[in-house]
Amino acid sequence: MSTTTLPEQLSDTAREFAAREHELLIDGERVAAADGRTFETIDPSSARPITSVALAGPRDVDRAVQAARRALEDSEWATLPAAGRARLINRLADLIEEDAGTFAQLEALDNGKPVKIAKVVDVDGTVRFFRHFAGWCERVFGRVIPVRQPDMLCYTRKEPVGVCGQIIPWNFPMLMASWKLAPALAAGCTVVLKPAEQTPLSALRIGELALEAGIPAGVINVLTGAGETGAALVDHPGVDKIAFTGSTEVGREIGAKTGRALKRVTLELGGKSPNIILPDADLDAAVAGSFQGIYFNTGQACNAGSRLFVHRDQFDKVVAALAARASKSRVGPGLEPNTHLGPLVSQEQHKRVLSYIEAGRAEGAELVTGGGAGAAGDGYFVEPTLFTTGRDDLKIAREEIFGPVLVALPYETLEEVAARANETEYGLAAGVWTRDIGNAHRLASMLKAGSVYINCWGEVDAGAPFGGYKASGLGREHGGEGLEAYLETKTVWTKLA
Ligand code: NAP
Ligand code: MG
């Protein structure tokens, strides 16, 4: 594959890696798909192909699952003490950190996000997640249970849940890989990871660095491919647990299949998260935070604050301040150092988001700013877009858009806004801006969401549980609760006399 069409900003290392014809990573080996199929990964800033990538089918899924099974049951990984797993995970974190510049460029190229953001959010976050979970390895304890039977020792053991199929989206490619891989490795599981077809590059590189770090072959297998690859992984009887992040639609399907097969499952799905500015808020901070809350990552965040509720008395002022900020944002290619908002990830997402903007206009919402492409070239750009409306029932106020589109809605009372905020099938995140500590925590308890942000938005930490109420998902990731999802509990009874 020629490297001359790749953007000039790429370092030699990033260029060499991006331009390779990428194969699957199965049992520590790079292999072509069994049936030889490939697909192209596209640079969304230019709409040009980057390179070709192997498309895994059911036979590849089977090989990868078998490799993961062998690694789980019959390899040095199976008998490695917890401290050994911690050492390997930390070594992987070190290698990713040393390679941070390359990873940031690969994310900017493949996903379109601004390279500076890729570095501080995606790459640094990935390193932190691996280090956090390396710390858990030696802190997985069973318990001794004080049972009623005399002369009985009853204790629990925590064991790895087994072979994990992990299916991730394209919005934070390597960070999502780390959210999945790190707790699985800490628990002693083995993995078949399926990155999104739009953004396969960084997961493949993490897979290679894992081998370099000394993580045994077969512990992490990376299968690039399409939705059908993910479906084959979900269907494979050798997979013990599925961890999925993506759309609620696919999540429902995976939930139904894993339910029938009685596989373990965790699902991180969509959202339409309400963000509420109370009348006593620090308005400058609320405007700056709410702006970031929706337009960060070009709106492609599951916990984007996409419904903004502002008190009627301050509505015009807040809307004007948001529009002024939007007009100053630079929309452009991810590898340009001055870009604030990169393109959307794909032509499909571009069409989808533009169709929502069209729907907003057609339904009678007022378009305050944005709506157009906002950057030159063939990339999938969309300007930061702001609608106002008094109607919660509009399509743009109900459905997840997953783009830089904010819907601002006026309200009058706290009880009213809490009820309207909860009037959604989703429940991933919610936010409150206020100086009143009582109202802040009243709302925190009233809002039906897995995360509530008070005077901030979108905070993440490897130790803080993350996940959804209602149609936003099942289970939690991060910290002890996230680790638990990769463990089985075994109860051992010993008659002592
Ligand atoms: P998606 O289809 O749910 O994709 C997520 C992952 O699931 C990808 O790896 C995808 O593979 C895989 N997949 C697709 N169909 C599958 C199936 N039947 N069984 C198993 N795995 C399957 O999401 P999308 O189509 O990329 O985006 C559509 C919408 O989903 C977005 O507009 C947004 O609303 C939502 N979304 C949410 C998140 C989130 O963080 N919660 C992330 C991304 C998208 P392929 O990539 O190869 O199709
Ligand atoms: Mg898809």
Side-chain angles (χ1 to χ4, degrees):
M1 181 119 337
S2 156
T3 60
T4 51
T5 55
L6 291 176
E8 61 185 13
Q9 297 95 331
L10 290 177
S11 68
D12 290 346
T13 315
R15 176 181 303 275
E16 184 279 321
F17 186 82
R20 278 193 213 165
E21 292 181 7
H22 289 279
E23 297 182 307
L24 311 173
L25 186 67
I26 301 179
D27 211 7
E29 305 284 335
R30 288 191 212 136
V31 291
D35 57 12
R37 284 194 296 165
T38 61
F39 65 99
E40 277 179 334
T41 185
I42 306 287
D43 168 4
S45 300
S46 67
R48 288 210 197 109
I50 300 170
T51 188
S52 82
V53 183
L55 197 166
R59 278 190 287 163
D60 305 300
V61 168
D62 189 47
R63 279 161 70 203
V65 171
Q66 286 189 34
R69 177 64 57 192
R70 281 194 302 276
L72 180 78
E73 291 174 359
D74 185 23
S75 78
E76 50 189 309
W77 182 250
T79 53
L80 193 64
R85 289 203 304 278
R87 191 168 28 80
L88 295 181
I89 298 169
N90 272 322
R91 178 82 187 113
L92 173 58
D94 292 345
L95 292 179
I96 294 171
E97 194 170 43
E98 285 163 23
D99 205 24
T102 307
F103 271 109
Q105 286 203 329
L106 289 174
E107 293 297 71
L109 175 69
D110 212 12
N111 165 280
K113 64 180 64 201
V115 65
K116 281 185 203 157
I117 304 275
K119 167 68 177 58
V120 296
V121 174
D122 302 64
V123 185
D124 294 354
T126 296
V127 171
R128 277 197 301 275
F129 269 80
F130 279 116
R131 294 211 171 115
H132 175 88
F133 279 100
W136 274 107
C137 293
E138 291 178 273
R139 287 162 186 78
V140 177
F141 304 116
R143 291 181 300 148
V144 176
I145 317 292
V147 293
R148 70 186 163 81
Q149 292 85 347
D151 298 319
M152 187 71 82
L153 170 63
C154 179
Y155 67 92
T156 57
R157 285 167 53 81
K158 292 288 186 180
E159 298 182 352
V161 76
V163 173
C164 301
Q166 304 189 316
I167 302 170
I168 56 171
W170 39 258
N171 51 348
F172 297 90
M174 69 181 300
L175 191 61
M176 292 300 110
S178 74
W179 287 19
K180 298 284 180 278
L181 291 172
L185 297 177
C189 295
T190 59
V191 171
V192 179
L193 177 73
K194 209 299 274 177
E197 65 191 282
Q198 297 83 355
T199 53
L201 298 181
S202 52
L204 287 166
R205 194 163 177 91
I206 289 176
E208 289 186 7
L209 291 190
L211 290 170
E212 200 180 317
I215 294 175
V219 173
I220 299 175
N221 304 277
V222 182
L223 294 186
T224 47
E228 61 176 284
T229 313
L233 189 55
V234 173
D235 292 337
H236 196 292
V239 172
D240 299 300
K241 179 209 158 88
I242 293 289
F244 170 80
T245 298
S247 61
T248 291
E249 188 190 352
V250 174
R252 274 186 214 287
E253 199 178 306
I254 291 177
K257 284 178 169 180
T258 50
R260 272 196 298 277
L262 295 175
K263 286 180 185 167
R264 308 296 175 258
V265 68
T266 42
L267 303 169
E268 300 287 352
L269 309 176
K272 188 74 182 176
S273 297
N275 178 19
I276 303 169
I277 302 181
L278 293 185
D280 70 332
D282 171 345
L283 275 196
D284 289 340
V287 165
S290 303
F291 187 89
Q292 274 303 309
I294 180 66
Y295 299 119
F296 168 66
N297 216 41
T298 318
Q300 303 167 116
C302 49
N303 57 355
S306 50
R307 284 188 294 151
L308 178 67
F309 291 97
V310 187
H311 194 271
R312 191 168 291 289
D313 293 346
Q314 291 154 321
F315 191 76
D316 292 344
K317 190 173 169 191
V318 168
V319 165
L322 287 167
R325 271 182 181 264
S327 67
K328 285 190 227 126
S329 308
R330 279 184 300 269
V331 176
L335 285 164
E336 285 292 329
N338 295 325
T339 291
H340 294 141
L341 270 79
L344 294 170
V345 76
S346 65
Q347 188 175 34
E348 184 187 350
Q349 287 302 115
H350 194 238
K351 272 195 192 147
R352 185 184 146 99
V353 171
L354 293 179
S355 81
Y356 273 108
I357 293 173
E358 199 38 55
R361 284 191 168 114
E363 284 181 309
E366 189 192 337
L367 179 64
V368 180
T369 187
D378 297 325
Y380 308 124
F381 301 104
V382 175
E383 287 170 324
T385 298
L386 173 59
F387 281 105
T388 58
T389 174
R391 289 181 48 194
D392 297 350
D393 62 336
L394 297 191
K395 192 176 156 82
I396 56 165
R398 281 184 296 108
E399 296 183 15
E400 181 176 52
I401 299 175
F402 227 66
V405 183
L406 179 61
V407 182
L409 304 135
Y411 73 89
E412 283 177 20
T413 71
L414 189 133
E415 288 69 23
E416 169 211 331
V417 76
R420 287 170 62 194
N422 286 333
E423 191 62 39
T424 166
E425 67 167 327
Y426 295 114
L428 193 59
V432 186
W433 299 87
T434 179
R435 291 184 171 107
D436 181 321
I437 193 169
N439 281 340
H441 294 290
R442 244 176 101 203
L443 273 173
S445 82
M446 288 163 93
L447 292 167
K448 294 186 172 59
S451 296
V452 175
Y453 308 117
I454 300 172
N455 295 332
C456 60
W457 191 275
E459 294 296 333
V460 167
D461 186 85
F466 182 76
Y469 280 34
K470 303 191 275 180
S472 289
L474 269 186
R476 294 291 179 272
E477 295 191 292
H478 310 349
E481 278 160 289
L483 184 71
E484 195 63 36
Y486 288 91
L487 294 166
E488 287 282 10
T489 301
K490 179 181 280 174
T491 307
V492 181
W493 297 81
T494 312
K495 187 78 178 137
L496 297 175

